[in-house]
Structure formats: structure tokens, C-alpha cells
Coordinates of all heavy atoms in Angstrom, one line a residue:
A1 N 0.8 -1.2 0.0 CA 0.0 0.0 0.0 C 0.9 1.2 0.0 O 2.0 1.2 0.6 CB -0.9 0.0 1.2
T2 N 0.4 2.2 -0.6 CA 1.1 3.5 -0.7 C 0.1 4.6 -0.4 O -1.1 4.4 -0.8 CB 1.9 3.7 -2.0 OG1 2.7 4.9 -1.8 CG2 1.0 3.8 -3.2
S3 N 0.5 5.7 0.1 CA -0.5 6.8 0.4 C 0.1 8.1 0.4 O 1.3 8.3 0.5 CB -1.2 6.5 1.7 OG -0.3 6.6 2.8
S4 N -0.7 9.1 0.2 CA -0.4 10.5 0.2 C -1.5 11.2 1.0 O -2.5 10.6 1.3 CB -0.2 11.1 -1.2 OG -1.5 11.3 -1.8
P5 N -1.4 12.5 1.2 CA -2.5 13.2 1.9 C -3.8 13.1 1.2 O -4.9 13.2 1.8 CB -2.0 14.6 2.0 CG -0.5 14.6 1.9 CD -0.3 13.4 1.0
L6 N -3.8 12.9 -0.1 CA -5.0 12.9 -0.9 C -5.5 11.5 -1.3 O -6.7 11.3 -1.6 CB -4.8 13.7 -2.2 CG -4.4 15.1 -2.0 CD1 -4.1 15.7 -3.4 CD2 -5.5 15.9 -1.3
C7 N -4.7 10.5 -1.3 CA -5.2 9.2 -1.7 C -4.4 8.0 -1.1 O -3.3 8.2 -0.6 CB -5.1 9.1 -3.2 SG -3.4 9.2 -3.9
T8 N -5.0 6.9 -1.1 CA -4.4 5.6 -0.6 C -4.5 4.6 -1.7 O -5.6 4.4 -2.2 CB -5.0 5.2 0.7 OG1 -4.8 6.2 1.7 CG2 -4.3 3.9 1.2
F9 N -3.5 3.8 -2.0 CA -3.6 2.7 -2.9 C -3.3 1.4 -2.1 O -2.3 1.3 -1.5 CB -2.5 2.8 -4.0 CG -2.7 4.0 -4.9 CD1 -2.0 5.2 -4.6 CD2 -3.5 4.1 -5.9 CE1 -2.1 6.3 -5.4 CE2 -3.7 5.2 -6.7 CZ -3.0 6.3 -6.4
V10 N -4.3 0.5 -2.2 CA -4.2 -0.7 -1.4 C -4.4 -1.9 -2.4 O -5.4 -1.9 -3.2 CB -5.3 -0.7 -0.3 CG1 -5.3 -2.0 0.4 CG2 -5.2 0.5 0.6
E11 N -3.6 -2.9 -2.3 CA -3.8 -4.1 -3.0 C -4.4 -5.2 -2.1 O -3.8 -5.6 -1.1 CB -2.5 -4.6 -3.6 CG -2.6 -5.8 -4.5 CD -1.3 -6.2 -5.1 OE1 -0.5 -5.3 -5.4 OE2 -1.2 -7.4 -5.4
S12 N -5.6 -5.6 -2.4 CA -6.2 -6.7 -1.7 C -7.3 -7.3 -2.5 O -7.7 -6.7 -3.5 CB -6.7 -6.2 -0.3 OG -7.7 -5.2 -0.5
E13 N -7.9 -8.3 -2.0 CA -9.0 -9.0 -2.8 C -10.3 -8.3 -2.4 O -10.7 -8.3 -1.3 CB -9.1 -10.5 -2.4 CG -10.1 -11.2 -3.2 CD -10.1 -12.7 -2.8 OE1 -9.1 -13.2 -2.4 OE2 -11.2 -13.3 -3.0
V14 N -10.9 -7.7 -3.4 CA -12.2 -7.0 -3.3 C -13.3 -8.1 -3.4 O -13.4 -8.7 -4.5 CB -12.4 -5.9 -4.3 CG1 -13.8 -5.3 -4.2 CG2 -11.3 -4.9 -4.1
Y15 N -14.2 -8.2 -2.5 CA -15.3 -9.2 -2.6 C -16.6 -8.5 -2.7 O -17.6 -9.2 -3.1 CB -15.3 -10.2 -1.5 CG -15.6 -9.7 -0.1 CD1 -16.9 -9.6 0.3 CD2 -14.6 -9.3 0.8 CE1 -17.2 -9.1 1.6 CE2 -14.9 -8.8 2.0 CZ -16.2 -8.8 2.4 OH -16.5 -8.3 3.7
D16 N -16.7 -7.2 -2.5 CA -18.0 -6.5 -2.7 C -17.7 -5.1 -2.9 O -16.8 -4.5 -2.3 CB -18.9 -6.8 -1.5 CG -20.3 -6.3 -1.8 OD1 -20.8 -6.3 -2.9 OD2 -21.0 -5.9 -0.8
A17 N -18.6 -4.4 -3.7 CA -18.5 -3.0 -3.9 C -19.9 -2.5 -4.3 O -20.6 -3.2 -5.1 CB -17.5 -2.6 -5.0
E18 N -20.3 -1.4 -3.8 CA -21.6 -0.8 -4.2 C -21.4 0.7 -4.3 O -20.6 1.3 -3.6 CB -22.7 -1.2 -3.2 CG -22.5 -0.6 -1.8 CD -23.6 -0.9 -0.9 OE1 -24.8 -0.5 -1.2 OE2 -23.4 -1.5 0.1
F19 N -22.2 1.3 -5.2 CA -22.2 2.7 -5.4 C -23.2 3.3 -4.5 O -24.4 2.9 -4.5 CB -22.5 3.1 -6.9 CG -22.2 4.5 -7.2 CD1 -20.9 5.0 -7.3 CD2 -23.2 5.4 -7.4 CE1 -20.6 6.3 -7.6 CE2 -23.0 6.7 -7.7 CZ -21.7 7.2 -7.8
C20 N -22.9 4.3 -3.8 CA -23.7 5.0 -2.8 C -23.8 6.5 -3.0 O -23.0 7.0 -3.8 CB -23.2 4.7 -1.4 SG -23.0 3.0 -1.0
E21 N -24.7 7.2 -2.4 CA -24.7 8.6 -2.4 C -24.8 9.1 -1.0 O -25.5 8.6 -0.1 CB -26.0 9.1 -3.2 CG -25.8 9.0 -4.7 CD -26.9 9.7 -5.4 OE1 -27.8 10.4 -4.8 OE2 -27.0 9.5 -6.7
D22 N -24.1 10.3 -0.7 CA -24.2 10.9 0.6 C -25.5 11.8 0.6 O -26.2 11.9 -0.3 CB -22.9 11.6 1.0 CG -22.6 12.8 0.1 OD1 -23.5 13.2 -0.7 OD2 -21.5 13.3 0.1
T23 N -25.7 12.5 1.7 CA -26.9 13.3 1.9 C -26.9 14.5 1.0 O -28.0 15.0 0.7 CB -27.0 13.8 3.4 OG1 -25.8 14.5 3.7 CG2 -27.2 12.7 4.3
K24 N -25.8 14.9 0.4 CA -25.7 16.0 -0.6 C -25.8 15.5 -2.0 O -25.8 16.3 -2.9 CB -24.4 16.7 -0.4 CG -24.3 17.4 1.0 CD -23.0 18.2 1.1 CE -22.9 18.8 2.5 NZ -21.6 19.5 2.6
G25 N -26.0 14.2 -2.2 CA -26.1 13.6 -3.6 C -24.8 13.3 -4.2 O -24.8 13.0 -5.4
N26 N -23.7 13.4 -3.5 CA -22.4 13.1 -4.0 C -22.2 11.6 -4.1 O -22.4 10.9 -3.1 CB -21.3 13.7 -3.2 CG -21.4 15.2 -3.2 OD1 -21.6 15.8 -4.3 ND2 -21.2 15.8 -2.1
G27 N -21.8 11.0 -5.2 CA -21.6 9.6 -5.3 C -20.2 9.1 -4.8 O -19.2 9.9 -4.9
Y28 N -20.2 7.9 -4.3 CA -18.9 7.3 -3.8 C -19.1 5.8 -3.8 O -20.2 5.3 -3.9 CB -18.5 7.8 -2.4 CG -19.4 7.4 -1.3 CD1 -19.2 6.2 -0.6 CD2 -20.6 8.1 -1.0 CE1 -20.1 5.8 0.4 CE2 -21.5 7.7 0.0 CZ -21.2 6.6 0.7 OH -22.0 6.2 1.7
W29 N -18.0 5.1 -3.9 CA -18.0 3.6 -3.8 C -17.7 3.2 -2.4 O -16.8 3.7 -1.7 CB -16.9 3.1 -4.8 CG -17.3 3.2 -6.2 CD1 -16.9 4.2 -7.0 CD2 -18.1 2.3 -6.9 NE1 -17.4 3.9 -8.3 CE2 -18.2 2.8 -8.2 CE3 -18.8 1.1 -6.6 CZ2 -18.9 2.1 -9.2 CZ3 -19.5 0.5 -7.6 CH2 -19.6 1.0 -8.9
K30 N -18.4 2.2 -2.0 CA -18.2 1.5 -0.7 C -17.6 0.1 -1.1 O -18.2 -0.7 -1.7 CB -19.5 1.3 0.1 CG -19.3 0.8 1.5 CD -20.6 0.9 2.2 CE -20.4 0.5 3.7 NZ -21.7 0.5 4.4
I31 N -16.3 -0.1 -0.7 CA -15.6 -1.3 -1.1 C -15.2 -2.1 0.1 O -14.6 -1.6 1.1 CB -14.3 -0.8 -1.8 CG1 -14.7 0.1 -3.0 CG2 -13.5 -2.0 -2.3 CD1 -13.5 1.0 -3.5
R32 N -15.5 -3.4 0.0 CA -15.2 -4.4 1.1 C -14.1 -5.3 0.6 O -14.2 -5.9 -0.5 CB -16.4 -5.2 1.5 CG -17.4 -4.3 2.2 CD -18.7 -5.1 2.5 NE -19.8 -4.3 2.9 CZ -20.5 -3.5 2.1 NH1 -20.4 -3.6 0.8 NH2 -21.5 -2.8 2.6
T33 N -13.0 -5.4 1.4 CA -11.9 -6.3 1.0 C -11.6 -7.3 2.0 O -12.0 -7.3 3.1 CB -10.6 -5.4 0.8 OG1 -10.2 -4.9 2.1 CG2 -10.8 -4.3 -0.2
S34 N -10.8 -8.3 1.6 CA -10.4 -9.4 2.4 C -8.9 -9.6 2.1 O -8.5 -9.7 1.0 CB -11.2 -10.7 2.2 OG -10.8 -11.7 3.0
K35 N -8.1 -9.7 3.2 CA -6.7 -9.9 3.0 C -6.2 -10.9 4.0 O -6.6 -10.9 5.1 CB -6.0 -8.5 3.2 CG -4.6 -8.5 2.7 CD -4.1 -7.1 2.9 CE -2.8 -6.9 2.2 NZ -2.3 -5.5 2.2
A36 N -5.4 -11.8 3.5 CA -4.8 -12.9 4.4 C -3.9 -12.3 5.5 O -3.0 -11.5 5.1 CB -4.1 -13.9 3.6
G37 N -4.2 -12.6 6.7 CA -3.3 -12.1 7.8 C -2.8 -13.3 8.6 O -3.1 -14.4 8.4
E38 N -2.0 -13.0 9.6 CA -1.5 -14.1 10.5 C -2.6 -14.8 11.2 O -2.4 -16.0 11.4 CB -0.5 -13.4 11.5 CG 0.7 -12.9 10.9 CD 1.7 -12.2 11.9 OE1 1.4 -12.4 13.1 OE2 2.6 -11.6 11.5
D39 N -3.7 -14.2 11.6 CA -4.7 -14.9 12.3 C -5.9 -15.2 11.4 O -7.1 -15.2 11.9 CB -5.2 -14.0 13.5 CG -4.1 -13.7 14.5 OD1 -3.2 -14.6 14.6 OD2 -4.0 -12.6 15.0
G40 N -5.7 -15.3 10.1 CA -6.8 -15.6 9.2 C -7.1 -14.4 8.3 O -6.2 -13.5 8.2
N41 N -8.2 -14.3 7.7 CA -8.5 -13.2 6.8 C -8.9 -11.9 7.6 O -9.6 -12.0 8.6 CB -9.7 -13.6 5.9 CG -9.2 -14.5 4.8 OD1 -8.0 -14.7 4.5 ND2 -10.2 -15.1 4.1
I42 N -8.4 -10.8 7.1 CA -8.7 -9.5 7.7 C -9.6 -8.8 6.8 O -9.3 -8.6 5.6 CB -7.4 -8.7 8.0 CG1 -6.5 -9.5 8.9 CG2 -7.7 -7.3 8.5 CD1 -5.1 -8.9 8.9
E43 N -10.8 -8.4 7.2 CA -11.8 -7.7 6.4 C -11.7 -6.2 6.7 O -11.6 -5.8 7.8 CB -13.2 -8.2 6.6 CG -13.4 -9.6 6.2 CD -14.8 -10.1 6.3 OE1 -15.7 -9.3 6.5 OE2 -15.0 -11.3 6.2
Q44 N -11.7 -5.4 5.6 CA -11.6 -4.0 5.7 C -12.6 -3.4 4.8 O -13.0 -4.0 3.8 CB -10.2 -3.5 5.4 CG -9.2 -3.9 6.4 CD -7.8 -3.3 6.1 OE1 -7.3 -3.5 5.0 NE2 -7.2 -2.7 7.0
C45 N -13.0 -2.1 5.1 CA -14.0 -1.4 4.3 C -13.4 0.0 3.9 O -12.8 0.6 4.8 CB -15.3 -1.2 5.0 SG -16.6 -0.5 4.0
Y46 N -13.5 0.3 2.7 CA -13.0 1.6 2.2 C -14.1 2.4 1.5 O -15.0 1.8 1.0 CB -11.8 1.4 1.2 CG -10.6 0.7 1.8 CD1 -10.5 -0.7 1.6 CD2 -9.6 1.4 2.4 CE1 -9.4 -1.3 2.1 CE2 -8.5 0.8 2.9 CZ -8.4 -0.6 2.8 OH -7.3 -1.3 3.3
T47 N -14.0 3.7 1.4 CA -14.8 4.5 0.5 C -13.9 5.2 -0.5 O -12.8 5.5 -0.2 CB -15.6 5.5 1.3 OG1 -14.8 6.4 2.0 CG2 -16.6 4.8 2.2
A48 N -14.4 5.3 -1.7 CA -13.6 6.0 -2.8 C -14.5 6.7 -3.8 O -15.6 6.3 -4.0 CB -12.8 4.9 -3.5
K49 N -13.9 7.7 -4.4 CA -14.7 8.4 -5.5 C -14.5 7.6 -6.8 O -15.3 7.8 -7.7 CB -14.1 9.8 -5.7 CG -14.4 10.7 -4.5 CD -13.9 12.1 -4.8 CE -14.3 13.0 -3.6 NZ -13.9 14.4 -3.8
M50 N -13.5 6.8 -6.9 CA -13.3 6.0 -8.2 C -13.0 4.6 -7.8 O -12.3 4.3 -6.9 CB -12.1 6.7 -8.9 CG -11.9 6.0 -10.3 SD -10.4 6.7 -11.1 CE -10.9 8.4 -11.3
L51 N -13.5 3.7 -8.6 CA -13.2 2.2 -8.5 C -12.7 1.7 -9.8 O -13.3 1.9 -10.9 CB -14.5 1.5 -8.1 CG -14.4 0.0 -8.1 CD1 -13.4 -0.5 -7.0 CD2 -15.7 -0.7 -7.9
L52 N -11.5 1.2 -9.9 CA -10.9 0.6 -11.1 C -11.1 -0.9 -11.0 O -10.6 -1.5 -10.0 CB -9.4 1.0 -11.2 CG -9.1 2.4 -11.2 CD1 -7.6 2.6 -11.3 CD2 -9.8 3.1 -12.4
V53 N -11.7 -1.5 -12.0 CA -11.8 -3.0 -12.0 C -10.9 -3.5 -13.1 O -11.2 -3.4 -14.3 CB -13.3 -3.4 -12.3 CG1 -13.4 -4.9 -12.4 CG2 -14.2 -2.8 -11.3
C54 N -9.7 -3.9 -12.7 CA -8.6 -4.3 -13.7 C -8.2 -5.7 -13.5 O -7.0 -6.0 -13.6 CB -7.5 -3.3 -13.5 SG -7.9 -1.6 -13.5
D55 N -9.1 -6.6 -13.3 CA -8.6 -8.0 -13.1 C -9.0 -8.9 -14.2 O -9.2 -10.1 -14.1 CB -9.1 -8.5 -11.8 CG -10.6 -8.4 -11.6 OD1 -11.3 -7.6 -12.3 OD2 -11.1 -9.1 -10.7
G56 N -9.2 -8.4 -15.4 CA -9.3 -9.2 -16.6 C -10.7 -9.4 -17.1 O -11.7 -8.9 -16.5
S57 N -10.8 -10.1 -18.3 CA -12.1 -10.3 -18.9 C -13.1 -11.2 -18.2 O -14.3 -11.2 -18.5 CB -11.9 -10.8 -20.3 OG -11.3 -12.1 -20.3
T58 N -12.6 -12.0 -17.3 CA -13.5 -12.8 -16.5 C -13.6 -12.3 -15.1 O -13.8 -13.1 -14.1 CB -13.0 -14.3 -16.5 OG1 -11.7 -14.3 -16.0 CG2 -13.0 -14.9 -17.9
S59 N -13.4 -11.1 -14.9 CA -13.4 -10.4 -13.6 C -14.6 -10.8 -12.7 O -15.7 -10.6 -13.0 CB -13.5 -8.9 -13.8 OG -13.7 -8.2 -12.6
Y60 N -14.3 -11.3 -11.5 CA -15.3 -11.6 -10.5 C -16.1 -10.4 -10.1 O -17.3 -10.4 -10.1 CB -14.7 -12.2 -9.2 CG -15.6 -12.3 -8.1 CD1 -16.6 -13.3 -8.0 CD2 -15.5 -11.4 -7.0 CE1 -17.5 -13.4 -6.9 CE2 -16.4 -11.5 -6.0 CZ -17.4 -12.5 -5.9 OH -18.3 -12.5 -4.9
L61 N -15.3 -9.3 -9.8 CA -16.0 -8.1 -9.4 C -16.8 -7.4 -10.6 O -17.9 -7.0 -10.4 CB -15.0 -7.1 -8.8 CG -15.6 -5.8 -8.3 CD1 -16.6 -6.0 -7.2 CD2 -14.5 -4.8 -7.8
G62 N -16.2 -7.5 -11.8 CA -16.9 -7.0 -12.9 C -18.2 -7.7 -13.2 O -19.2 -7.1 -13.6
Q63 N -18.2 -9.0 -13.0 CA -19.4 -9.8 -13.1 C -20.4 -9.4 -12.0 O -21.6 -9.3 -12.3 CB -19.1 -11.3 -13.0 CG -18.4 -11.9 -14.2 CD -18.1 -13.3 -14.1 OE1 -18.9 -14.1 -13.5 NE2 -17.0 -13.8 -14.7
K64 N -20.0 -9.3 -10.8 CA -20.9 -8.9 -9.7 C -21.5 -7.6 -9.9 O -22.7 -7.4 -9.6 CB -20.1 -9.0 -8.4 CG -20.9 -8.8 -7.2 CD -20.1 -9.1 -5.9 CE -20.9 -8.9 -4.7 NZ -21.5 -10.1 -4.2
L65 N -20.8 -6.6 -10.5 CA -21.3 -5.3 -10.8 C -22.1 -5.2 -12.1 O -22.7 -4.2 -12.4 CB -20.2 -4.3 -10.8 CG -19.4 -4.1 -9.5 CD1 -18.2 -3.2 -9.7 CD2 -20.4 -3.5 -8.4
G66 N -22.1 -6.3 -12.8 CA -22.9 -6.3 -14.1 C -22.1 -5.7 -15.3 O -22.7 -5.4 -16.3
L67 N -20.8 -5.5 -15.1 CA -20.0 -4.9 -16.2 C -19.5 -6.0 -17.1 O -19.2 -5.7 -18.3 CB -18.8 -4.1 -15.6 CG -19.1 -3.0 -14.6 CD1 -17.9 -2.5 -13.9 CD2 -19.9 -1.9 -15.3
V68 N -19.4 -7.2 -16.7 CA -18.9 -8.3 -17.5 C -20.0 -9.4 -17.4 O -20.5 -9.7 -16.3 CB -17.6 -8.9 -16.9 CG1 -17.1 -10.1 -17.6 CG2 -16.5 -7.8 -16.9
Q69 N -20.3 -10.0 -18.5 CA -21.4 -11.0 -18.6 C -20.9 -12.2 -17.8 O -19.8 -12.7 -17.9 CB -21.6 -11.4 -20.0 CG -22.8 -12.4 -20.2 CD -23.1 -12.7 -21.6 OE1 -22.3 -12.3 -22.5 NE2 -24.1 -13.4 -21.9
K70 N -21.8 -12.7 -16.9 CA -21.5 -13.9 -16.1 C -21.2 -15.1 -17.0 O -21.9 -15.3 -18.0 CB -22.6 -14.2 -15.1 CG -22.7 -13.2 -14.0 CD -23.6 -13.7 -12.9 CE -23.6 -12.6 -11.9 NZ -24.1 -13.0 -10.6
G71 N -20.2 -15.9 -16.6 CA -19.8 -17.0 -17.4 C -19.0 -16.7 -18.6 O -18.8 -17.6 -19.5
S72 N -18.6 -15.5 -18.8 CA -17.9 -15.1 -20.0 C -16.5 -15.8 -20.0 O -16.0 -16.1 -18.9 CB -17.7 -13.6 -20.1 OG -17.0 -13.1 -19.1
V73 N -16.0 -16.0 -21.1 CA -14.6 -16.7 -21.2 C -13.7 -15.6 -21.8 O -14.1 -14.7 -22.5 CB -14.7 -17.9 -22.1 CG1 -15.5 -19.0 -21.5 CG2 -15.2 -17.6 -23.5
S74 N -12.4 -15.8 -21.6 CA -11.4 -15.0 -22.1 C -11.5 -14.9 -23.7 O -11.6 -16.0 -24.3 CB -10.0 -15.4 -21.7 OG -9.9 -15.3 -20.3
E75 N -11.3 -13.8 -24.2 CA -11.3 -13.6 -25.7 C -9.9 -13.3 -26.2 O -9.8 -12.9 -27.4 CB -12.3 -12.6 -26.1 CG -13.7 -13.0 -25.7 CD -14.8 -11.9 -26.1 OE1 -14.4 -10.9 -26.8 OE2 -15.9 -12.1 -25.7
A76 N -8.9 -13.4 -25.4 CA -7.6 -13.0 -25.9 C -6.6 -13.8 -25.1 O -6.8 -14.3 -24.0 CB -7.3 -11.5 -25.7
V77 N -5.4 -14.0 -25.7 CA -4.3 -14.7 -25.0 C -3.1 -13.7 -25.1 O -2.9 -13.1 -26.1 CB -4.0 -16.0 -25.7 CG1 -2.8 -16.6 -25.1 CG2 -5.2 -16.9 -25.7
C78 N -2.4 -13.7 -24.1 CA -1.2 -12.8 -24.0 C 0.0 -13.7 -23.6 O -0.1 -14.5 -22.7 CB -1.4 -11.7 -23.0 SG 0.0 -10.6 -22.9
S79 N 1.1 -13.5 -24.2 CA 2.4 -14.1 -23.8 C 3.5 -13.2 -24.0 O 3.4 -12.2 -24.7 CB 2.6 -15.4 -24.6 OG 2.8 -15.2 -25.9
H80 N 4.6 -13.5 -23.4 CA 5.8 -12.7 -23.5 C 7.1 -13.5 -23.4 O 7.0 -14.6 -22.8 CB 5.8 -11.5 -22.5 CG 6.1 -12.0 -21.1 ND1 5.1 -12.5 -20.3 CD2 7.2 -12.0 -20.4 CE1 5.6 -12.8 -19.2 NE2 6.8 -12.5 -19.2
A81 N 8.1 -13.0 -23.9 CA 9.4 -13.7 -23.7 C 10.5 -12.7 -23.6 O 10.4 -11.6 -24.3 CB 9.6 -14.7 -24.9
Y82 N 11.5 -13.0 -22.9 CA 12.7 -12.1 -22.8 C 13.7 -12.6 -23.8 O 14.1 -13.8 -23.9 CB 13.3 -12.1 -21.4 CG 14.6 -11.3 -21.3 CD1 14.5 -10.0 -21.2 CD2 15.8 -12.0 -21.3 CE1 15.7 -9.2 -21.1 CE2 17.0 -11.2 -21.2 CZ 16.9 -9.8 -21.1 OH 18.0 -9.1 -21.0
V83 N 14.2 -11.7 -24.6 CA 15.3 -12.0 -25.6 C 16.5 -11.1 -25.3 O 16.4 -9.9 -25.3 CB 14.8 -11.7 -27.1 CG1 15.9 -12.0 -28.1 CG2 13.5 -12.5 -27.4
K84 N 17.5 -11.7 -25.0 CA 18.8 -11.0 -24.7 C 19.3 -10.3 -25.9 O 19.3 -10.9 -27.0 CB 19.8 -11.9 -24.1 CG 21.0 -11.2 -23.6 CD 22.0 -12.2 -23.0 CE 23.2 -11.5 -22.5 NZ 24.2 -12.4 -21.8
G85 N 19.6 -9.0 -25.8 CA 20.1 -8.2 -26.9 C 21.3 -8.8 -27.6 O 22.2 -9.3 -26.9
G86 N 21.3 -8.8 -28.9 CA 22.4 -9.3 -29.7 C 22.3 -10.8 -29.9 O 23.2 -11.4 -30.5
T87 N 21.3 -11.5 -29.4 CA 21.2 -13.0 -29.5 C 20.2 -13.4 -30.6 O 19.9 -14.5 -30.7 CB 20.8 -13.7 -28.2 OG1 19.5 -13.2 -27.8 CG2 21.9 -13.3 -27.1
H88 N 19.6 -12.4 -31.3 CA 18.6 -12.7 -32.3 C 19.0 -12.3 -33.7 O 20.0 -11.6 -33.8 CB 17.3 -12.0 -31.9 CG 17.4 -10.6 -31.8 ND1 17.4 -9.7 -32.8 CD2 17.6 -9.8 -30.6 CE1 17.6 -8.5 -32.4 NE2 17.7 -8.5 -31.1
E89 N 18.3 -12.7 -34.7 CA 18.6 -12.4 -36.1 C 17.5 -11.5 -36.7 O 17.4 -11.4 -37.9 CB 18.8 -13.6 -36.9 CG 20.0 -14.4 -36.5 CD 20.2 -15.7 -37.3 OE1 19.7 -15.7 -38.4 OE2 20.9 -16.6 -36.8
W90 N 16.7 -10.9 -35.8 CA 15.6 -10.1 -36.3 C 16.1 -8.8 -36.8 O 17.0 -8.1 -36.2 CB 14.6 -9.8 -35.1 CG 13.4 -9.0 -35.5 CD1 12.4 -9.4 -36.2 CD2 13.2 -7.6 -35.2 NE1 11.5 -8.4 -36.4 CE2 12.0 -7.3 -35.7 CE3 13.9 -6.7 -34.5 CZ2 11.5 -6.0 -35.6 CZ3 13.4 -5.4 -34.3 CH2 12.2 -5.1 -34.9
T91 N 15.6 -8.3 -37.9 CA 15.9 -7.0 -38.5 C 14.7 -6.2 -38.7 O 13.6 -6.7 -38.9 CB 16.7 -7.1 -39.8 OG1 15.9 -7.8 -40.8 CG2 18.0 -7.9 -39.6
N92 N 14.8 -4.9 -38.7 CA 13.7 -4.0 -38.9 C 13.5 -3.8 -40.4 O 14.4 -3.3 -41.1 CB 14.0 -2.6 -38.3 CG 12.8 -1.9 -37.8 OD1 11.7 -2.4 -37.9 ND2 13.0 -0.8 -37.2
A93 N 12.5 -4.4 -41.0 CA 12.2 -4.3 -42.4 C 11.5 -3.1 -42.9 O 10.7 -2.5 -42.3 CB 11.5 -5.6 -42.9

């Protein structure tokens, strides 16, 4: 986790999120997380103005929020390889 006076970034498993409004009509996200700790799972609750769902095309949270169709399958494959400089015969055509 990293933080500044204006924001906090936390990496943990989000198991629930809902969009809420305060008494002035301002929207915010209420986010519930679970993180493995020494004594079992530690549950925490956060509020945020923005929620990023970046866990892929079969996102559990995306499905729960209705952003991703339930039961969807991946539509892409990604792979990578490290090639040490000077060990290949590739040229820029």
C-alpha cells in the first residue's frame, strides 16, 4: 500500500462494492476487501470516489457489478518472452 495526503492505494481482494450517495447527492464507492493475515482473513472497508476494475475479462467483481457477462470466457491470449540483446537475427524491415 502507498498513500499521500489525498489518496491511498491498497492491493487486496475485493469481494464486494456498491455505489452509494451521501446526503448531498455526491456519489462514492463503498468497497469491502479481504486480505490474508497471520490470524486468518482480515476484512476492511474503504470508501472511494473512483473504482478501477482491472482484473481481466473474467473479472469476479466486474461480473458482480454487471460490467462483465457472467460465465464469459477470455477472448484473448497474451504471452511474452525475454530476448537478450544481440542474440537474435531479427531486423527492422
Side-chain angles (χ1 to χ4, degrees):
T2 187
S3 64
S4 74
L6 300 176
C7 61
T8 301
F9 298 95
V10 178
E11 183 176 330
S12 61
E13 184 176 336
V14 175
Y15 68 87
D16 191 30
E18 67 177 300
F19 192 74
C20 305
E21 286 188 8
D22 64 16
T23 56
K24 295 180 182 178
N26 298 316
Y28 66 95
W29 286 97
K30 188 173 184 179
I31 305 161
R32 292 176 191 81
T33 68
S34 179
K35 194 173 193 178
E38 292 179 9
D39 300 328
N41 285 346
I42 301 167
E43 295 185 11
Q44 293 181 306
C45 187
Y46 298 94
T47 58
K49 291 183 178 183
M50 183 184 299
L51 174 66
L52 301 177
V53 181
C54 305
D55 56 340
S57 64
T58 57
S59 166
Y60 167 77
L61 184 58
Q63 290 180 33
K64 188 171 179 91
L65 294 172
L67 302 171
V68 176
Q69 185 177 7
K70 289 190 179 198
S72 64
V73 295
S74 297
E75 296 180 7
V77 175
C78 178
S79 65
H80 71 278
Y82 175 78
V83 179
K84 187 175 180 179
T87 64
H88 56 81
E89 296 180 20
W90 180 76
T91 59
N92 211 0

